[in-house]
Amino acid sequence: MKKGVKISGLSLVMMFMGLGLAWAGDGQIDIATLPYTISSSGSYIVTKDLTLATLDTNGITISAHNVTLDLNGHTLTGPGKAAGTTGSGILVSGPSYNLAIRNGTLRDWRLDGVGAGSPDNARNSQFEDLRCYNNGADG
């Protein structure tokens, strides 16, 4: 009888540990470097302030549907607005829907802080709590 109780107790502890691990990961994919391309649906989170010094490059490119991108209060800083260069902080590169981009700052990008190119490139999407400044084109 004691052996059965011991196994049940151990099973219970292991179950709670497994639940804790699932909560800790929360299913989000960390972004800790630029440039970064999001090509699969999912939830992404920026883990620190990021700077990209490479000209003619986008910080984060989104080419998938059903994406949540949380900047987590961080700043994505571009290489500046030098004439003749390109690059946006976040670029939605083609028709995508159900995007949520939120909670951070995009600055010093040659083109847009957040750019979609056309209205079809970000259908049914939300952009909230974003600060975009000192970019060469639109927010």
Side-chain angles (χ1 to χ4, degrees):
M1 184 78 170
K2 284 184 179 181
K3 190 174 185 179
V5 171
K6 207 179 236 184
I7 291 172
S8 294
L10 179 60
S11 296
L12 188 60
V13 168
M14 300 228 3
M15 182 180 77
F16 283 123
M17 285 176 60
L19 288 173
L21 291 174
W23 289 331
D26 205 23
Q28 295 180 324
I29 299 163
D30 292 349
I31 298 176
T33 61
L34 297 178
Y36 191 91
T37 299
I38 297 173
S39 56
S40 297
S41 300
S43 181
Y44 296 80
I45 189 164
V46 174
T47 60
K48 61 183 178 179
D49 291 345
L50 298 172
T51 299
L52 181 67
T54 308
L55 297 176
D56 301 324
T57 306
N58 298 308
I60 297 174
T61 301
I62 300 173
S63 61
H65 305 298
N66 304 309
V67 169
T68 297
L69 173 58
D70 186 350
L71 299 179
N72 197 26
H74 295 294
T75 299
L76 303 184
T77 303
K81 300 186 293 183
T85 63
T86 63
S88 293
I90 299 171
L91 177 69
V92 182
S93 65
S96 295
Y97 56 83
N98 298 334
L99 306 178
I101 301 172
R102 63 175 64 104
N103 191 24
T105 301
L106 299 118
R107 60 182 287 255
D108 298 329
W109 295 94
R110 171 63 178 120
L111 296 179
D112 302 321
V114 179
S118 78
D120 287 337
N121 285 9
R123 288 182 169 245
N124 194 38
S125 297
Q126 297 176 334
F127 304 89
E128 58 188 12
D129 196 20
L130 296 169
R131 290 155 303 284
C132 302
Y133 66 94
N134 203 36
N135 298 302
D138 297 325

